[in-house]
Amino acid sequence: MTPTFKLAAAGLTLAALIGAAGCQRPAEPSGETASPSDAAPAAASADVYPFTVGALRLAALRDGELVVPIAESPWVEAGSPAAEVSGLLTAAGAPADAVHLSVQPLLVRDGDRVVLLDAGAGGQMGTANTLVASLRAAGVEPEQVTDVLISHAHGDHVGGLVNAQGALTFPKAVIRMSAPEWTAARAGAEKAGAGPLVAAIAPKVETFQPGAQATPSIRAVALDGHMPGHTGYEIVSGNERLLYFGDALHSSIISVQRPDLANVWDKDRAAAAATRRDLLNRGATEGLRYYGVHFPFPGLGRVERKGEAYVWVPEVAAPR
């Protein structure tokens, strides 16, 4: 892993995206497109997994994968022995030489709103930059996205907001994030002289306070510890609900089975560990349905207790 990748994998702020926001340019739209609400439901594929929450239609959209060598993983860099981290992966049947973290923003059709939860990495950090192609495979053009809800301003969540030329990938969308997160992002950008990206998205940014209703069916949920304004999103329709927990949990193995392990990517490690424990306890106790943006595609599942620990139980295996 090169030093540049190492910094990116450790959680780049918005500032660090200047000059590298999208290694590949999303394909240009071709002609008129049907309304997303009129489009036929997307078929499950290697890059798109459609599902429902009540009456809402959602789809997991693959953007790529982060592969972080064990020695440079956030747990080892925070002080955990590499052998301990590798042992957790081996016991779960996963490769032991690196941590594999999927990147899959979530599409939600909420009435006349076409919503993305996070915007992917835009080709950074070795990711495939397939978000726009996945979005189109789900029946939506970039111009049809009305809202992009950001969990936090690390590169693998905001890198896809602009293309290689610095233009907005979703030109008609409002970009929503918590007020503390936007304040932190702008402060970081100023320190790094990162005016161009901030200037590109600033006219589109609308902030909210924790607990705000971001769209008619999506509520912002404060999940403390990872970044100053890190936000999850609860999606509700009828009696069904789903929590998108952003980077409150990174690995479906390490973060779930050992929530106590410090993670160097977290700004406030103690608060982040407390958030992990709360999510796992509530998930197992209440049978909550979760969406993990970095969990194995399509990131949908629940948490169950196994003795005194927890395990991630995916709702479905990744389509092949």
Side-chain angles (χ1 to χ4, degrees):
M1 180 184 291
T2 66
T4 299
F5 178 78
K6 183 175 178 180
L7 287 172
L12 286 176
T13 61
L14 193 62
L17 300 175
I18 299 304
C23 297
Q24 303 173 27
R25 183 179 182 182
E28 295 297 328
S30 55
E32 296 293 327
T33 58
S35 165
S37 60
D38 296 333
S45 70
D47 296 324
V48 178
Y49 183 79
F51 63 98
T52 61
V53 174
L56 300 175
R57 293 163 53 199
L58 293 78
L61 304 176
R62 193 194 297 271
D63 184 51
E65 182 182 55
L66 305 174
V67 181
V68 187
I70 290 296
E72 296 168 345
S73 70
W75 301 275
V76 173
E77 291 201 335
S80 296
E84 181 177 9
V85 176
S86 294
L88 290 169
L89 298 174
T90 298
D97 60 337
V99 180
H100 293 252
L101 303 176
S102 185
V103 180
Q104 59 237 355
L106 180 62
L107 172 67
V108 183
R109 294 174 171 90
D110 187 2
D112 61 356
R113 312 282 275 276
V114 181
V115 185
L116 273 180
L117 273 59
D118 283 328
Q124 296 184 83
M125 311 175 206
T127 57
N129 197 21
T130 58
L131 176 59
V132 170
S134 298
L135 183 67
R136 286 184 168 135
V140 177
E141 289 293 325
E143 292 78 5
Q144 294 173 313
V145 175
T146 61
D147 304 81
V148 182
L149 308 184
I150 299 298
S151 62
H152 65 295
H154 278 167
D156 51 327
H157 297 261
V158 299
L161 287 173
V162 296
N163 63 23
Q165 288 68 44
L168 294 170
T169 305
F170 312 104
K172 297 182 180 179
V174 175
I175 300 168
R176 303 179 192 275
M177 69 179 78
S178 74
E181 188 67 25
W182 180 231
T183 296
R186 284 183 297 170
E190 291 163 3
K191 290 176 183 177
L197 182 57
V198 170
I201 70 169
K204 296 287 189 175
V205 171
E206 292 185 3
T207 62
F208 53 76
Q209 296 301 321
Q213 198 70 31
T215 74
S217 301
I218 304 175
R219 182 176 66 88
V221 179
L223 296 174
D224 297 336
H226 184 57
M227 285 293 285
H230 182 262
T231 300
Y233 294 98
E234 185 179 47
I235 303 158
V236 180
S237 176
N239 294 324
E240 296 186 23
R241 62 190 59 228
L242 174 75
L243 180 63
Y244 178 103
F245 53 65
D247 277 9
L249 298 161
H250 284 90
S251 166
S252 64
I253 299 169
I254 302 164
S255 303
V256 173
Q257 295 181 20
R258 291 294 307 276
D260 56 304
L261 290 185
N263 182 325
V264 76
W265 295 347
D266 293 331
K267 191 76 170 178
D268 184 333
R269 297 181 189 180
T275 294
R276 286 192 291 273
R277 290 191 294 267
D278 181 64
L279 283 171
L280 296 170
N281 178 58
R282 288 183 57 235
T285 301
E286 301 173 27
L288 301 178
R289 196 182 190 197
Y290 284 152
Y291 187 91
V293 65
H294 291 311
F295 281 21
F297 185 85
L300 192 62
R302 300 175 192 271
V303 172
E304 292 183 0
R305 286 191 176 85
K306 185 177 182 181
E308 296 183 357
Y310 300 94
V311 293
W312 173 251
V313 181
E315 193 166 303
V316 63
R320 299 291 182 182

PDB file of all heavy atoms in Angstrom, residues 13-51:
ATOM      1  N   THR A  13     -10.734  13.320   4.641  1.00  0.00           N
ATOM      2  CA  THR A  13     -11.756  14.330   4.767  1.00  0.00           C
ATOM      3  C   THR A  13     -12.056  14.901   3.400  1.00  0.00           C
ATOM      4  O   THR A  13     -11.370  14.641   2.422  1.00  0.00           O
ATOM      5  CB  THR A  13     -11.292  15.461   5.697  1.00  0.00           C
ATOM      6  OG1 THR A  13     -10.149  16.053   5.121  1.00  0.00           O
ATOM      7  CG2 THR A  13     -10.981  14.930   7.079  1.00  0.00           C
ATOM      8  N   LEU A  14     -13.076  15.721   3.339  1.00  0.00           N
ATOM      9  CA  LEU A  14     -13.463  16.378   2.100  1.00  0.00           C
ATOM     10  C   LEU A  14     -12.292  17.125   1.492  1.00  0.00           C
ATOM     11  O   LEU A  14     -12.105  17.145   0.283  1.00  0.00           O
ATOM     12  CB  LEU A  14     -14.598  17.355   2.422  1.00  0.00           C
ATOM     13  CG  LEU A  14     -15.396  17.955   1.289  1.00  0.00           C
ATOM     14  CD1 LEU A  14     -16.121  16.877   0.516  1.00  0.00           C
ATOM     15  CD2 LEU A  14     -16.379  18.970   1.837  1.00  0.00           C
ATOM     16  N   ALA A  15     -11.457  17.712   2.342  1.00  0.00           N
ATOM     17  CA  ALA A  15     -10.337  18.517   1.851  1.00  0.00           C
ATOM     18  C   ALA A  15      -9.397  17.706   0.985  1.00  0.00           C
ATOM     19  O   ALA A  15      -8.848  18.206   0.005  1.00  0.00           O
ATOM     20  CB  ALA A  15      -9.564  19.085   3.040  1.00  0.00           C
ATOM     21  N   ALA A  16      -9.185  16.456   1.337  1.00  0.00           N
ATOM     22  CA  ALA A  16      -8.182  15.655   0.647  1.00  0.00           C
ATOM     23  C   ALA A  16      -8.633  15.182  -0.715  1.00  0.00           C
ATOM     24  O   ALA A  16      -7.890  14.517  -1.417  1.00  0.00           O
ATOM     25  CB  ALA A  16      -7.807  14.457   1.516  1.00  0.00           C
ATOM     26  N   LEU A  17      -9.867  15.523  -1.098  1.00  0.00           N
ATOM     27  CA  LEU A  17     -10.380  15.064  -2.376  1.00  0.00           C
ATOM     28  C   LEU A  17     -10.004  15.991  -3.528  1.00  0.00           C
ATOM     29  O   LEU A  17     -10.173  15.645  -4.686  1.00  0.00           O
ATOM     30  CB  LEU A  17     -11.908  14.960  -2.326  1.00  0.00           C
ATOM     31  CG  LEU A  17     -12.426  13.996  -1.267  1.00  0.00           C
ATOM     32  CD1 LEU A  17     -13.940  14.059  -1.230  1.00  0.00           C
ATOM     33  CD2 LEU A  17     -11.959  12.599  -1.546  1.00  0.00           C
ATOM     34  N   ILE A  18      -9.511  17.174  -3.242  1.00  0.00           N
ATOM     35  CA  ILE A  18      -9.222  18.124  -4.300  1.00  0.00           C
ATOM     36  C   ILE A  18      -8.153  17.563  -5.234  1.00  0.00           C
ATOM     37  O   ILE A  18      -7.124  17.075  -4.823  1.00  0.00           O
ATOM     38  CB  ILE A  18      -8.733  19.456  -3.709  1.00  0.00           C
ATOM     39  CG1 ILE A  18      -9.823  20.048  -2.831  1.00  0.00           C
ATOM     40  CG2 ILE A  18      -8.350  20.428  -4.802  1.00  0.00           C
ATOM     41  CD1 ILE A  18     -11.131  20.247  -3.531  1.00  0.00           C
ATOM     42  N   GLY A  19      -8.465  17.632  -6.521  1.00  0.00           N
ATOM     43  CA  GLY A  19      -7.519  17.147  -7.499  1.00  0.00           C
ATOM     44  C   GLY A  19      -7.547  15.657  -7.690  1.00  0.00           C
ATOM     45  O   GLY A  19      -6.848  15.121  -8.541  1.00  0.00           O
ATOM     46  N   ALA A  20      -8.363  14.932  -6.894  1.00  0.00           N
ATOM     47  CA  ALA A  20      -8.414  13.475  -7.037  1.00  0.00           C
ATOM     48  C   ALA A  20      -9.828  12.973  -6.895  1.00  0.00           C
ATOM     49  O   ALA A  20     -10.058  11.855  -6.518  1.00  0.00           O
ATOM     50  CB  ALA A  20      -7.528  12.828  -5.980  1.00  0.00           C
ATOM     51  N   ALA A  21     -10.788  13.816  -7.158  1.00  0.00           N
ATOM     52  CA  ALA A  21     -12.186  13.448  -6.925  1.00  0.00           C
ATOM     53  C   ALA A  21     -12.736  12.708  -8.123  1.00  0.00           C
ATOM     54  O   ALA A  21     -13.387  13.262  -8.980  1.00  0.00           O
ATOM     55  CB  ALA A  21     -13.019  14.703  -6.658  1.00  0.00           C
ATOM     56  N   GLY A  22     -12.470  11.423  -8.154  1.00  0.00           N
ATOM     57  CA  GLY A  22     -12.996  10.595  -9.222  1.00  0.00           C
ATOM     58  C   GLY A  22     -11.912  10.287 -10.228  1.00  0.00           C
ATOM     59  O   GLY A  22     -11.560  11.116 -11.055  1.00  0.00           O
ATOM     60  N   CYS A  23     -11.383   9.079 -10.182  1.00  0.00           N
ATOM     61  CA  CYS A  23     -10.328   8.711 -11.119  1.00  0.00           C
ATOM     62  C   CYS A  23     -10.877   8.371 -12.485  1.00  0.00           C
ATOM     63  O   CYS A  23     -10.151   8.326 -13.458  1.00  0.00           O
ATOM     64  CB  CYS A  23      -9.544   7.512 -10.552  1.00  0.00           C
ATOM     65  SG  CYS A  23      -8.714   7.903  -9.011  1.00  0.00           S
ATOM     66  N   GLN A  24     -12.156   8.083 -12.573  1.00  0.00           N
ATOM     67  CA  GLN A  24     -12.788   7.802 -13.839  1.00  0.00           C
ATOM     68  C   GLN A  24     -13.987   8.723 -13.987  1.00  0.00           C
ATOM     69  O   GLN A  24     -14.697   8.976 -13.032  1.00  0.00           O
ATOM     70  CB  GLN A  24     -13.266   6.348 -13.897  1.00  0.00           C
ATOM     71  CG  GLN A  24     -12.152   5.335 -13.662  1.00  0.00           C
ATOM     72  CD  GLN A  24     -12.711   3.948 -13.574  1.00  0.00           C
ATOM     73  OE1 GLN A  24     -13.756   3.646 -14.133  1.00  0.00           O
ATOM     74  NE2 GLN A  24     -12.011   3.084 -12.866  1.00  0.00           N
ATOM     75  N   ARG A  25     -14.227   9.182 -15.175  1.00  0.00           N
ATOM     76  CA  ARG A  25     -15.348  10.081 -15.391  1.00  0.00           C
ATOM     77  C   ARG A  25     -16.605   9.268 -15.654  1.00  0.00           C
ATOM     78  O   ARG A  25     -16.607   8.392 -16.509  1.00  0.00           O
ATOM     79  CB  ARG A  25     -15.076  10.992 -16.589  1.00  0.00           C
ATOM     80  CG  ARG A  25     -16.188  12.009 -16.805  1.00  0.00           C
ATOM     81  CD  ARG A  25     -15.880  12.908 -17.983  1.00  0.00           C
ATOM     82  NE  ARG A  25     -16.911  13.900 -18.163  1.00  0.00           N
ATOM     83  CZ  ARG A  25     -16.912  14.787 -19.144  1.00  0.00           C
ATOM     84  NH1 ARG A  25     -15.929  14.798 -20.008  1.00  0.00           N
ATOM     85  NH2 ARG A  25     -17.888  15.658 -19.249  1.00  0.00           N
ATOM     86  N   PRO A  26     -17.717   9.539 -14.899  1.00  0.00           N
ATOM     87  CA  PRO A  26     -18.952   8.831 -15.179  1.00  0.00           C
ATOM     88  C   PRO A  26     -19.390   9.075 -16.614  1.00  0.00           C
ATOM     89  O   PRO A  26     -19.195  10.159 -17.167  1.00  0.00           O
ATOM     90  CB  PRO A  26     -19.944   9.457 -14.180  1.00  0.00           C
ATOM     91  CG  PRO A  26     -19.083  10.029 -13.102  1.00  0.00           C
ATOM     92  CD  PRO A  26     -17.821  10.469 -13.786  1.00  0.00           C
ATOM     93  N   ALA A  27     -19.975   8.046 -17.212  1.00  0.00           N
ATOM     94  CA  ALA A  27     -20.439   8.171 -18.592  1.00  0.00           C
ATOM     95  C   ALA A  27     -21.494   9.253 -18.704  1.00  0.00           C
ATOM     96  O   ALA A  27     -22.269   9.495 -17.788  1.00  0.00           O
ATOM     97  CB  ALA A  27     -21.014   6.834 -19.058  1.00  0.00           C
ATOM     98  N   GLU A  28     -21.504   9.946 -19.842  1.00  0.00           N
ATOM     99  CA  GLU A  28     -22.475  11.006 -20.052  1.00  0.00           C
ATOM    100  C   GLU A  28     -23.856  10.413 -20.328  1.00  0.00           C
ATOM    101  O   GLU A  28     -23.987   9.359 -20.940  1.00  0.00           O
ATOM    102  CB  GLU A  28     -22.060  11.856 -21.258  1.00  0.00           C
ATOM    103  CG  GLU A  28     -20.762  12.603 -21.044  1.00  0.00           C
ATOM    104  CD  GLU A  28     -20.854  13.608 -19.924  1.00  0.00           C
ATOM    105  OE1 GLU A  28     -21.945  14.162 -19.724  1.00  0.00           O
ATOM    106  OE2 GLU A  28     -19.854  13.831 -19.248  1.00  0.00           O
ATOM    107  N   PRO A  29     -24.932  11.066 -19.881  1.00  0.00           N
ATOM    108  CA  PRO A  29     -26.276  10.576 -20.147  1.00  0.00           C
ATOM    109  C   PRO A  29     -26.582  10.633 -21.633  1.00  0.00           C
ATOM    110  O   PRO A  29     -26.059  11.466 -22.358  1.00  0.00           O
ATOM    111  CB  PRO A  29     -27.162  11.552 -19.359  1.00  0.00           C
ATOM    112  CG  PRO A  29     -26.337  12.794 -19.219  1.00  0.00           C
ATOM    113  CD  PRO A  29     -24.916  12.332 -19.134  1.00  0.00           C
ATOM    114  N   SER A  30     -27.442   9.744 -22.087  1.00  0.00           N
ATOM    115  CA  SER A  30     -27.783   9.701 -23.513  1.00  0.00           C
ATOM    116  C   SER A  30     -29.277   9.903 -23.703  1.00  0.00           C
ATOM    117  O   SER A  30     -30.068   8.987 -23.539  1.00  0.00           O
ATOM    118  CB  SER A  30     -27.367   8.350 -24.103  1.00  0.00           C
ATOM    119  OG  SER A  30     -27.946   7.296 -23.374  1.00  0.00           O
ATOM    120  N   GLY A  31     -29.654  11.145 -23.982  1.00  0.00           N
ATOM    121  CA  GLY A  31     -31.037  11.416 -24.355  1.00  0.00           C
ATOM    122  C   GLY A  31     -31.993  11.430 -23.188  1.00  0.00           C
ATOM    123  O   GLY A  31     -31.630  11.458 -22.027  1.00  0.00           O
ATOM    124  N   GLU A  32     -33.309  11.402 -23.527  1.00  0.00           N
ATOM    125  CA  GLU A  32     -34.364  11.439 -22.528  1.00  0.00           C
ATOM    126  C   GLU A  32     -34.425  10.118 -21.777  1.00  0.00           C
ATOM    127  O   GLU A  32     -34.134   9.052 -22.313  1.00  0.00           O
ATOM    128  CB  GLU A  32     -35.715  11.690 -23.219  1.00  0.00           C
ATOM    129  CG  GLU A  32     -35.815  13.043 -23.906  1.00  0.00           C
ATOM    130  CD  GLU A  32     -35.802  14.184 -22.920  1.00  0.00           C
ATOM    131  OE1 GLU A  32     -36.327  14.012 -21.818  1.00  0.00           O
ATOM    132  OE2 GLU A  32     -35.265  15.249 -23.260  1.00  0.00           O
ATOM    133  N   THR A  33     -34.793  10.197 -20.516  1.00  0.00           N
ATOM    134  CA  THR A  33     -34.936   8.998 -19.700  1.00  0.00           C
ATOM    135  C   THR A  33     -36.302   8.994 -19.041  1.00  0.00           C
ATOM    136  O   THR A  33     -36.899  10.033 -18.795  1.00  0.00           O
ATOM    137  CB  THR A  33     -33.856   8.942 -18.610  1.00  0.00           C
ATOM    138  OG1 THR A  33     -33.958  10.125 -17.813  1.00  0.00           O
ATOM    139  CG2 THR A  33     -32.468   8.870 -19.223  1.00  0.00           C
ATOM    140  N   ALA A  34     -36.779   7.805 -18.738  1.00  0.00           N
ATOM    141  CA  ALA A  34     -38.059   7.684 -18.057  1.00  0.00           C
ATOM    142  C   ALA A  34     -37.922   8.108 -16.612  1.00  0.00           C
ATOM    143  O   ALA A  34     -36.833   8.113 -16.044  1.00  0.00           O
ATOM    144  CB  ALA A  34     -38.537   6.230 -18.124  1.00  0.00           C
ATOM    145  N   SER A  35     -39.029   8.477 -15.997  1.00  0.00           N
ATOM    146  CA  SER A  35     -39.020   8.800 -14.588  1.00  0.00           C
ATOM    147  C   SER A  35     -38.627   7.566 -13.794  1.00  0.00           C
ATOM    148  O   SER A  35     -39.061   6.468 -14.094  1.00  0.00           O
ATOM    149  CB  SER A  35     -40.420   9.266 -14.160  1.00  0.00           C
ATOM    150  OG  SER A  35     -40.525   9.267 -12.762  1.00  0.00           O
ATOM    151  N   PRO A  36     -37.796   7.730 -12.748  1.00  0.00           N
ATOM    152  CA  PRO A  36     -37.403   6.575 -11.956  1.00  0.00           C
ATOM    153  C   PRO A  36     -38.598   5.852 -11.361  1.00  0.00           C
ATOM    154  O   PRO A  36     -38.588   4.647 -11.199  1.00  0.00           O
ATOM    155  CB  PRO A  36     -36.523   7.184 -10.858  1.00  0.00           C
ATOM    156  CG  PRO A  36     -36.056   8.470 -11.412  1.00  0.00           C
ATOM    157  CD  PRO A  36     -37.150   8.958 -12.315  1.00  0.00           C
ATOM    158  N   SER A  37     -39.647   6.586 -11.010  1.00  0.00           N
ATOM    159  CA  SER A  37     -40.819   5.950 -10.421  1.00  0.00           C
ATOM    160  C   SER A  37     -41.567   5.090 -11.425  1.00  0.00           C
ATOM    161  O   SER A  37     -42.302   4.185 -11.058  1.00  0.00           O
ATOM    162  CB  SER A  37     -41.761   7.019  -9.848  1.00  0.00           C
ATOM    163  OG  SER A  37     -42.184   7.889 -10.877  1.00  0.00           O
ATOM    164  N   ASP A  38     -41.361   5.373 -12.732  1.00  0.00           N
ATOM    165  CA  ASP A  38     -42.027   4.590 -13.763  1.00  0.00           C
ATOM    166  C   ASP A  38     -41.181   3.427 -14.254  1.00  0.00           C
ATOM    167  O   ASP A  38     -41.662   2.554 -14.967  1.00  0.00           O
ATOM    168  CB  ASP A  38     -42.358   5.489 -14.966  1.00  0.00           C
ATOM    169  CG  ASP A  38     -43.343   6.585 -14.595  1.00  0.00           C
ATOM    170  OD1 ASP A  38     -44.124   6.366 -13.645  1.00  0.00           O
ATOM    171  OD2 ASP A  38     -43.320   7.647 -15.237  1.00  0.00           O
ATOM    172  N   ALA A  39     -39.897   3.424 -13.894  1.00  0.00           N
ATOM    173  CA  ALA A  39     -38.998   2.398 -14.396  1.00  0.00           C
ATOM    174  C   ALA A  39     -39.324   1.046 -13.779  1.00  0.00           C
ATOM    175  O   ALA A  39     -39.780   0.950 -12.645  1.00  0.00           O
ATOM    176  CB  ALA A  39     -37.559   2.770 -14.080  1.00  0.00           C
ATOM    177  N   ALA A  40     -39.087  -0.012 -14.559  1.00  0.00           N
ATOM    178  CA  ALA A  40     -39.284  -1.352 -14.046  1.00  0.00           C
ATOM    179  C   ALA A  40     -38.270  -1.622 -12.946  1.00  0.00           C
ATOM    180  O   ALA A  40     -37.142  -1.122 -12.990  1.00  0.00           O
ATOM    181  CB  ALA A  40     -39.124  -2.363 -15.172  1.00  0.00           C
ATOM    182  N   PRO A  41     -38.653  -2.388 -11.917  1.00  0.00           N
ATOM    183  CA  PRO A  41     -37.699  -2.695 -10.854  1.00  0.00           C
ATOM    184  C   PRO A  41     -36.442  -3.353 -11.416  1.00  0.00           C
ATOM    185  O   PRO A  41     -36.519  -4.188 -12.314  1.00  0.00           O
ATOM    186  CB  PRO A  41     -38.479  -3.669  -9.958  1.00  0.00           C
ATOM    187  CG  PRO A  41     -39.925  -3.376 -10.245  1.00  0.00           C
ATOM    188  CD  PRO A  41     -39.969  -2.990 -11.691  1.00  0.00           C
ATOM    189  N   ALA A  42     -35.292  -2.965 -10.897  1.00  0.00           N
ATOM    190  CA  ALA A  42     -34.041  -3.544 -11.372  1.00  0.00           C
ATOM    191  C   ALA A  42     -33.939  -5.001 -10.944  1.00  0.00           C
ATOM    192  O   ALA A  42     -34.420  -5.391  -9.885  1.00  0.00           O
ATOM    193  CB  ALA A  42     -32.866  -2.758 -10.791  1.00  0.00           C
ATOM    194  N   ALA A  43     -33.335  -5.801 -11.788  1.00  0.00           N
ATOM    195  CA  ALA A  43     -33.083  -7.194 -11.442  1.00  0.00           C
ATOM    196  C   ALA A  43     -31.820  -7.278 -10.601  1.00  0.00           C
ATOM    197  O   ALA A  43     -30.891  -6.490 -10.763  1.00  0.00           O
ATOM    198  CB  ALA A  43     -32.937  -8.028 -12.707  1.00  0.00           C
ATOM    199  N   ALA A  44     -31.782  -8.240  -9.676  1.00  0.00           N
ATOM    200  CA  ALA A  44     -30.583  -8.444  -8.879  1.00  0.00           C
ATOM    201  C   ALA A  44     -29.428  -8.843  -9.787  1.00  0.00           C
ATOM    202  O   ALA A  44     -29.598  -9.611 -10.727  1.00  0.00           O
ATOM    203  CB  ALA A  44     -30.835  -9.518  -7.828  1.00  0.00           C
ATOM    204  N   SER A  45     -28.258  -8.290  -9.508  1.00  0.00           N
ATOM    205  CA  SER A  45     -27.074  -8.588 -10.296  1.00  0.00           C
ATOM    206  C   SER A  45     -25.866  -8.493  -9.389  1.00  0.00           C
ATOM    207  O   SER A  45     -26.001  -8.320  -8.170  1.00  0.00           O
ATOM    208  CB  SER A  45     -26.945  -7.591 -11.450  1.00  0.00           C
ATOM    209  OG  SER A  45     -26.611  -6.301 -10.948  1.00  0.00           O
ATOM    210  N   ALA A  46     -24.687  -8.592  -9.973  1.00  0.00           N
ATOM    211  CA  ALA A  46     -23.473  -8.469  -9.177  1.00  0.00           C
ATOM    212  C   ALA A  46     -23.299  -7.065  -8.610  1.00  0.00           C
ATOM    213  O   ALA A  46     -22.574  -6.881  -7.635  1.00  0.00           O
ATOM    214  CB  ALA A  46     -22.261  -8.836 -10.028  1.00  0.00           C
ATOM    215  N   ASP A  47     -23.948  -6.066  -9.203  1.00  0.00           N
ATOM    216  CA  ASP A  47     -23.754  -4.675  -8.793  1.00  0.00           C
ATOM    217  C   ASP A  47     -25.005  -3.989  -8.266  1.00  0.00           C
ATOM    218  O   ASP A  47     -24.913  -2.871  -7.760  1.00  0.00           O
ATOM    219  CB  ASP A  47     -23.211  -3.865  -9.972  1.00  0.00           C
ATOM    220  CG  ASP A  47     -21.839  -4.334 -10.407  1.00  0.00           C
ATOM    221  OD1 ASP A  47     -21.044  -4.717  -9.537  1.00  0.00           O
ATOM    222  OD2 ASP A  47     -21.564  -4.330 -11.617  1.00  0.00           O
ATOM    223  N   VAL A  48     -26.162  -4.611  -8.393  1.00  0.00           N
ATOM    224  CA  VAL A  48     -27.419  -4.013  -7.945  1.00  0.00           C
ATOM    225  C   VAL A  48     -28.226  -5.070  -7.200  1.00  0.00           C
ATOM    226  O   VAL A  48     -28.409  -6.185  -7.703  1.00  0.00           O
ATOM    227  CB  VAL A  48     -28.257  -3.482  -9.128  1.00  0.00           C
ATOM    228  CG1 VAL A  48     -29.585  -2.901  -8.638  1.00  0.00           C
ATOM    229  CG2 VAL A  48     -27.482  -2.440  -9.914  1.00  0.00           C
ATOM    230  N   TYR A  49     -28.707  -4.701  -6.011  1.00  0.00           N
ATOM    231  CA  TYR A  49     -29.599  -5.611  -5.291  1.00  0.00           C
ATOM    232  C   TYR A  49     -30.837  -4.837  -4.839  1.00  0.00           C
ATOM    233  O   TYR A  49     -30.782  -4.055  -3.894  1.00  0.00           O
ATOM    234  CB  TYR A  49     -28.915  -6.252  -4.082  1.00  0.00           C
ATOM    235  CG  TYR A  49     -29.845  -7.247  -3.415  1.00  0.00           C
ATOM    236  CD1 TYR A  49     -30.012  -8.514  -3.954  1.00  0.00           C
ATOM    237  CD2 TYR A  49     -30.582  -6.893  -2.296  1.00  0.00           C
ATOM    238  CE1 TYR A  49     -30.904  -9.417  -3.388  1.00  0.00           C
ATOM    239  CE2 TYR A  49     -31.471  -7.787  -1.722  1.00  0.00           C
ATOM    240  CZ  TYR A  49     -31.624  -9.048  -2.273  1.00  0.00           C
ATOM    241  OH  TYR A  49     -32.514  -9.938  -1.710  1.00  0.00           O
ATOM    242  N   PRO A  50     -31.979  -5.037  -5.522  1.00  0.00           N
ATOM    243  CA  PRO A  50     -33.205  -4.334  -5.138  1.00  0.00           C
ATOM    244  C   PRO A  50     -33.914  -5.053  -3.989  1.00  0.00           C
ATOM    245  O   PRO A  50     -33.885  -6.279  -3.894  1.00  0.00           O
ATOM    246  CB  PRO A  50     -34.045  -4.387  -6.420  1.00  0.00           C
ATOM    247  CG  PRO A  50     -33.574  -5.620  -7.127  1.00  0.00           C
ATOM    248  CD  PRO A  50     -32.144  -5.827  -6.748  1.00  0.00           C
ATOM    249  N   PHE A  51     -34.530  -4.261  -3.110  1.00  0.00           N
ATOM    250  CA  PHE A  51     -35.327  -4.820  -2.018  1.00  0.00           C
ATOM    251  C   PHE A  51     -36.313  -3.753  -1.571  1.00  0.00           C
ATOM    252  O   PHE A  51     -36.340  -2.648  -2.135  1.00  0.00           O
ATOM    253  CB  PHE A  51     -34.434  -5.299  -0.863  1.00  0.00           C
ATOM    254  CG  PHE A  51     -33.626  -4.210  -0.191  1.00  0.00           C
ATOM    255  CD1 PHE A  51     -34.047  -3.619   0.995  1.00  0.00           C
ATOM    256  CD2 PHE A  51     -32.418  -3.784  -0.742  1.00  0.00           C
ATOM    257  CE1 PHE A  51     -33.300  -2.635   1.623  1.00  0.00           C
ATOM    258  CE2 PHE A  51     -31.652  -2.796  -0.125  1.00  0.00           C
ATOM    259  CZ  PHE A  51     -32.096  -2.231   1.064  1.00  0.00           C
TER     260      PHE A  51
END
